[in-house]
């Protein structure tokens, strides 16, 4: 995977993980809040039951026609009601009780009678008197209503507003604990003691769904990695398909190139055959022209042989298994055959062809037909270049030994090669001629290469172009 797509995969994973993590956290929170809500409701019911019980005790005392004295009553009630600290009676302004009369009792009694129900007379944050219209009063300790251990485990902090300051019933968490705090506030159910109960619980990091998050991190990473691998394999499959398509196209274009090359190469001998046959036909009826007819037919046969050779060479070229033939060639004989074929044409165009062998006896190693083809092409190109040239029209063929090689050069007095054309001269289909196909030099290079030779081009001073074909020399040390 390249760095960009790796970064993209990482980004996708982060987004996926974040969304999943938020969903998990929300589910977990809903679940914990549900339990917290239930526990708070249970606590509120437990406290409410106790306060309602106080009302029931007061109602029972009011219903007694000859109630025992508070001092005698208290010890019998206290074991069942640990929150009961004392009780008393104020029938007609005279207080009888297990404890001293609390300040403000008459006013509280007055209020109770007006309301027709018991009222509270707080002593401090935890203790309060519950004063009934019947003149009976109970002193209660809110801390003792429910033992801390009896509260449901889902609770953390619980307070009760008996007086102005909250009374702590449960304190399992420090108030400044780090995390998300859930809070619920409810009044107790007894009409006479509707104290506000407040329950809070902080979801500290210890309660966060780390395991689920870790599992999701792994699962989402696997998911993204799987998706990335799937994408990669699809891209790979597409690339392979594309390669197959390109290879097919390359085969087709090579085929087209070959076909064009064959047509280009065969055009020369076929044109020559046609010209020679027509000349022979014209001279046929004239007895004196017999030698000329024979020459024309011989030249035709020679060209037909060349065409056949070209075809067999082409076949050899497309079958790389068949190695190019190597034989020691006679440059003079080769050029003589070339001159025999080309000179009449060139003379007609006013072009003089010269040959100079600077190393007589030296033999280039190669394939005769391939070399002939190269020289034919180079001479034809030189003639084409000279067609538009003013001044003397000359093509100079030369051969000489250079080191372990034998080098042919074909020079002309034409306009030379344009500077921008030089680097691409041997590329297939490169041409500056309206009728050109740009295959001649590409083919020459392939043919030279098949003989371990090299072909090069340069410009001459003051004018003209020079092409050299260098081939291994027979008898050289290499
Ligand atoms: P074609 O002859 O079909 O154009 P070639 O591959 O034989 O294809 O030649 C490619 C190009 O090289 C020619 O179009 C021409 O521009 C340039 N060229 C070849 N020979 C010569 C030369 N002797 N003088 C100048 N330019 C040449």
């Amino acid at each position: 995977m390249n760095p960009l797509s790796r970064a993209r995969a990482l980004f996708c994973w982060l987004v996926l993980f974040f969304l999943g993590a938020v969903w998990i956290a929300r589910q977990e929170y809903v679940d914990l809040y549900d339990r917290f809500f239930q526990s708070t409701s249970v606590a509120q019911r437990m406290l409410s039951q106790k306060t309602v019980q106080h009302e029931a005790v007061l109602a029972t005392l009011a219903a007694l026609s000859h109630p025992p004295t508070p001092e005698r009553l208290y010890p019998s009630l206290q074991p069942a009601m640990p929150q009961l600290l004392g009780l008393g009676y104020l029938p007609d302004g005279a207080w009888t009780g297990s404890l001293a009369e609390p300040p403000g009792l008459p006013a509280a009694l007055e209020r109770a009678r007006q309301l027709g129900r018991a009222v509270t007379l707080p002593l401090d944050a935890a203790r309060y008197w519950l004063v009934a219209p019947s003149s009976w009063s109970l002193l209660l300790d809110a801390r003792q209503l429910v033992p801390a251990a009896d509260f449901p485990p889902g609770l953390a902090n619980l307070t009760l507003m008996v007086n102005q300051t909250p009374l702590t019933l449960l304190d399992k968490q420090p108030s400044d604990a780090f995390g998300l705090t859930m809070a619920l506030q409810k009044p107790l159910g007894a009409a006479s003691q509707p104290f506000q109960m407040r329950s809070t619980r902080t979801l500290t990091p210890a309660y966060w769904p780390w395991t689920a998050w870790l599992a999701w991190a792994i699962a989402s990473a696997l998911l993204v990695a799987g998706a990335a691998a799937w994408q990669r394999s699809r891209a790979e499959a597409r690339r392979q398909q594309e390669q197959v398509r390109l290879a097919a196209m390359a085969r087709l274009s090579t085929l087209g190139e070959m076909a064009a090359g064959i047509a280009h190469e065969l055009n020369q001998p076929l044109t020559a055959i046609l010209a020679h046959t027509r000349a022979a036909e014209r001279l046929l009826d004239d007895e004196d022209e017999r030698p000329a007819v024979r020459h024309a037919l011989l030249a035709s046969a020679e060209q037909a042989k060349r065409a056949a050779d070209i075809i067999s060479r082409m076949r050899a070229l497309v079958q790389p298994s068949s190695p190019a033939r190597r034989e020691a060639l006679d440059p003079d004989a080769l050029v003589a055959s070339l001159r025999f074929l080309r000179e009449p044409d060139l003379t007609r165009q006013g072009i003089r062809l010269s040959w100079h062998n600077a190393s007589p006896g030296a033999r280039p190693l190669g394939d005769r037909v391939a070399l002939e083809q190269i020289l034919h092409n180079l001479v034809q190109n030189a003639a084409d270049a000279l067609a538009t040239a003013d001044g003397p029209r000359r093509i100079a063929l030369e051969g000489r030994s250079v080191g372990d090689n034998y080098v042919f050069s074909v020079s002309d007095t034409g306009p030379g090669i344009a500077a921008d054309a030089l680097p691409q001269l041997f590329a297939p289909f490169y041409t500056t001629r309206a009728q050109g196909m740009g295959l001649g030099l590409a083919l020459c290079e392939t043919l030279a290469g098949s003989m371990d030779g090299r072909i090069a081009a340069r410009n001459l001073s003051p004018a003209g172009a020079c092409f050299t074909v260098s081939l291994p020399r027979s008898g050289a040390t290499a």
Side-chain angles (χ1 to χ4, degrees):
M1 206 191 296
N2 59 41
L4 189 78
S5 57
R6 201 177 299 159
R8 243 181 48 189
L10 187 69
F11 177 74
C12 288
W13 173 69
L14 280 175
V15 170
L16 194 67
F17 170 71
F18 179 75
L19 293 177
V22 167
W23 186 82
I24 291 170
R26 196 183 164 279
Q27 291 301 107
E28 186 73 6
Y29 177 78
V30 166
D31 197 39
L32 286 171
Y33 187 84
D34 221 40
R35 270 187 275 162
F36 170 72
F37 184 86
Q38 307 247 338
S39 304
T40 304
S41 300
V42 169
Q44 190 258 1
R45 268 202 304 279
M46 290 167 85
L47 289 167
S48 297
Q49 271 171 11
K50 292 290 175 177
T51 48
V52 168
Q53 192 185 14
H54 303 154
E55 289 177 352
V57 169
L58 284 171
T60 311
L61 290 173
L64 294 175
S65 47
H66 299 290
T69 60
E71 291 85 345
R72 282 192 40 216
L73 255 175
Y74 177 67
S76 56
L77 285 174
Q78 214 278 332
M81 292 174 68
Q83 73 273 32
L84 185 66
L85 300 177
L87 73 166
Y89 188 51
L90 185 73
D92 310 300
W95 169 257
T96 323
S98 63
L99 296 164
E101 181 189 336
L105 183 66
L109 185 57
E110 189 54 41
R111 210 153 32 92
R113 284 185 178 148
Q114 275 172 8
L115 291 170
R117 60 161 174 80
V119 295
T120 54
L121 177 62
L123 265 191
D124 52 33
R127 294 177 305 157
Y128 64 96
W129 280 92
L130 187 62
V131 184
S134 62
S135 352
W136 279 99
S137 305
L138 305 176
L139 177 61
L140 299 154
D141 185 352
R143 263 183 308 238
Q144 312 278 336
L145 287 174
V146 175
D150 289 0
F151 283 119
L155 293 178
N157 290 359
L158 201 64
T159 60
L160 203 60
M161 277 309 255
V162 172
N163 203 349
Q164 309 296 340
T165 46
L167 167 72
T168 302
L169 299 182
L170 259 184
D171 187 17
K172 290 199 208 161
Q173 271 185 333
S175 58
D176 58 352
F178 170 78
L180 187 69
T181 302
M182 303 181 283
L184 267 176
Q185 192 159 321
K186 287 183 171 193
L188 298 190
S192 60
Q193 303 141 82
F195 309 133
Q196 283 293 337
M197 187 200 82
R198 185 177 154 81
S199 167
T200 58
R201 184 178 168 192
T202 301
L203 299 176
T204 58
Y207 292 100
W208 295 357
W210 296 108
T211 320
W213 280 343
L214 184 70
W216 173 238
I218 294 169
S220 54
L222 289 175
L223 215 72
V224 170
W230 177 73
Q231 236 184 8
R232 263 204 312 278
S233 73
R234 260 187 41 164
E236 186 55 38
R238 260 208 311 274
R239 195 173 310 130
Q240 273 174 12
Q241 269 176 13
E242 195 60 15
Q243 273 167 0
V244 168
R245 201 175 65 81
L246 281 179
M249 271 174 62
R251 268 202 303 278
L252 272 179
S253 79
T254 310
L255 235 122
E257 220 174 283
M258 284 299 299
I262 292 168
H264 178 82
E265 292 308 319
L266 290 182
N267 203 31
Q268 291 170 12
L270 290 178
T271 312
I273 290 170
L274 199 66
H276 288 306
T277 324
R278 285 216 177 117
E281 192 190 10
R282 267 199 316 275
L283 302 172
L284 207 55
D285 299 331
D286 192 338
E287 279 290 322
D288 300 339
E289 294 291 348
R290 252 206 191 151
V293 172
R294 180 169 291 114
H295 178 269
L297 288 177
L298 270 175
S300 272
E302 190 69 26
Q303 288 291 341
K305 192 166 160 290
R306 194 170 121 71
D309 274 349
I310 288 169
I311 289 173
S312 78
R313 280 296 77 201
M314 282 287 191
R315 200 184 302 130
L317 264 183
V318 293
Q319 288 167 347
S321 51
S322 60
R325 243 178 308 167
R326 295 291 160 82
E327 53 186 325
L329 302 170
D330 177 358
D332 294 309
L334 220 95
V335 175
S337 138
L338 176 77
R339 292 179 87 166
F340 171 72
L341 285 170
R342 298 307 315 268
E343 230 154 16
D345 261 3
L346 296 174
T347 312
R348 249 198 317 279
Q349 294 173 53
I351 299 170
R352 198 156 63 79
L353 179 72
S354 62
W355 162 242
H356 173 63
N357 190 352
S359 310
R363 297 273 183 271
L365 270 180
D367 183 312
R368 193 178 58 83
V369 178
L371 186 56
E372 256 177 17
Q373 233 175 297
I374 294 173
L375 294 177
H376 265 280
N377 270 332
L378 295 181
V379 168
Q380 183 57 47
N381 277 354
D384 288 342
L386 285 169
T388 57
D390 306 321
R393 297 181 167 187
R394 282 201 301 271
I395 299 175
L397 267 169
E398 203 196 77
R400 67 169 67 236
S401 284
V402 179
D404 286 341
N405 297 321
Y406 188 90
V407 180
F408 284 96
S409 64
V410 182
S411 312
D412 63 62
T413 52
I417 304 154
D420 60 332
L422 261 173
Q424 31 191 345
L425 225 49
F426 297 97
F429 300 112
Y430 177 78
T431 179
T432 58
R433 293 181 191 130
Q435 301 301 317
M437 282 202 286
L439 283 170
L441 288 179
L443 208 71
C444 286
E445 193 181 40
T446 309
L447 290 172
S450 72
M451 295 184 286
D452 289 335
R454 267 171 32 80
I455 184 164
R458 65 188 158 91
N459 276 320
L460 294 174
S461 175
C466 174
F467 286 79
T468 53
V469 183
S470 163
L471 289 173
R473 191 163 47 82
S474 167
T477 45

